Amino acid sequence: MSNGRRIRVVIADDHPVILLGAQHALAQFPDVEVVAQARQSTELVDVLTRVPCDVLVTDLAMPGGRYGDGLPLVGYIRRHFPALGIVVLTMLENAALLKRLKDIGVIGVVNKSDDLAHIGLAIRYVTQGVEYASPAVRAVFDMLRANAGGRVDDMLLSPREIEVVRLFVSGLTVKEIAVHLNRSIKTISSQKTRALQKLGLERDSQLFQYAQSAGLMNLSSAEGAVPAGGSGEP
């Protein structure tokens, strides 16, 4: 910090090994002080309310608390602790999700597959208001940006694609979604396929993982979704 005080950091992750590894990595940064830890969102929000800190280092997938996890949790923290710097830890390699993090004000992202020393670097950058992405995160952006012809926005899902993904991960089949939305099976199948392609995913299991982290699992049909019985076509 500019005044000589160390950067106060809270670490949140539901895996004890990651908590230990992150704390060990940050011990190598004399300007960083870990002031608290948390393992789920209820504990995290309580800690942030009680313990003064400058930066939160948090896992993206951290189920089990009353405030959820993924993008909904990060959004909640951004709204209620606007001065707090955030560094997100994640195993997800999905450019669309990473861009959504950036859109809600997260400028530091570290992939857990990278050396955990990148957490300390990200903290230093975020404290100065500068973006930081670890090597694996940068590689994902570079690859998908190239695949999209440089247009990262092309990787974002349309409202109808979001609705198809939301219904699919809720347990409906493509045929059931077609009936629910009054569209053809071919249209629903195409929209699901396009969603996978835009997100850089290959398997349905990856789509479930994305949907959970993006908060689509709990999204009601009234939130950002196209209502059933729309025009019937994309």
Side-chain angles (χ1 to χ4, degrees):
M1 306 289 288
S2 58
N3 60 5
R5 176 173 58 80
R6 290 200 289 176
I7 304 169
R8 300 165 300 182
V9 175
V10 170
I11 307 174
D13 198 293
D14 60 335
H15 295 94
V17 172
I18 297 296
L19 285 174
L20 183 62
Q23 183 149 1
H24 182 266
L26 292 179
Q28 311 306 311
F29 291 80
D31 54 336
V32 173
E33 177 186 9
V34 177
V35 294
Q37 296 182 353
R39 295 190 180 183
Q40 38 92 330
S41 65
T42 305
E43 184 179 359
L44 173 58
V45 172
D46 178 63
V47 166
L48 294 179
T49 301
R50 294 184 298 101
V51 181
C53 63
D54 305 299
V55 177
L56 166 65
V57 176
T58 182
D59 189 5
L60 192 58
M62 193 172 53
R66 63 177 294 193
Y67 300 96
D69 66 345
L71 291 175
L73 173 60
V74 174
Y76 178 90
I77 292 171
R78 290 291 300 150
R79 292 191 302 274
H80 289 82
F81 305 93
L84 184 67
I86 299 178
V87 174
V88 164
L89 294 176
T90 181
M91 285 297 294
L92 296 178
E93 298 182 347
N94 182 280
L97 181 60
L98 297 176
K99 186 178 186 303
R100 290 191 67 186
L101 282 170
K102 183 176 178 181
D103 290 342
I104 62 176
V106 175
I107 61 174
V109 183
V110 174
N111 192 298
K112 291 181 182 180
S113 66
D114 288 320
D115 191 315
L116 291 183
H118 285 283
I119 298 174
L121 297 176
I123 289 170
R124 287 175 172 175
Y125 274 67
V126 166
T127 301
Q128 300 299 320
V130 180
E131 295 183 9
Y132 187 90
S134 69
V137 175
R138 290 198 304 270
V140 171
F141 265 128
D142 290 344
M143 179 183 67
L144 292 184
R145 185 179 292 109
N147 291 343
R151 299 182 301 275
V152 178
D153 286 345
D154 288 351
M155 291 179 276
L156 299 180
L157 302 186
S158 70
R160 295 203 168 201
E161 288 163 352
I162 291 175
E163 178 71 345
V164 169
V165 169
R166 185 188 68 81
L167 292 172
F168 181 75
V169 299
S170 75
L172 297 185
T173 65
V174 169
K175 182 178 180 180
E176 289 169 337
I177 296 172
V179 172
H180 180 72
L181 297 179
N182 191 29
R183 303 177 203 164
S184 69
I185 294 176
K186 181 178 179 181
T187 294
I188 298 300
S189 180
S190 296
Q191 289 170 336
K192 175 174 171 282
T193 298
R194 282 200 303 270
L196 285 166
Q197 291 172 341
K198 284 184 177 182
L199 296 173
L201 306 178
E202 298 178 353
R203 299 181 297 276
D204 288 347
S205 60
Q206 294 174 316
L207 190 60
F208 277 91
Q209 184 184 46
Y210 168 80
Q212 181 178 24
S213 294
L216 296 181
M217 294 291 225
N218 302 316
L219 186 65
S220 71
S221 59
E223 296 179 85
V226 177
S231 65
E233 292 303 325

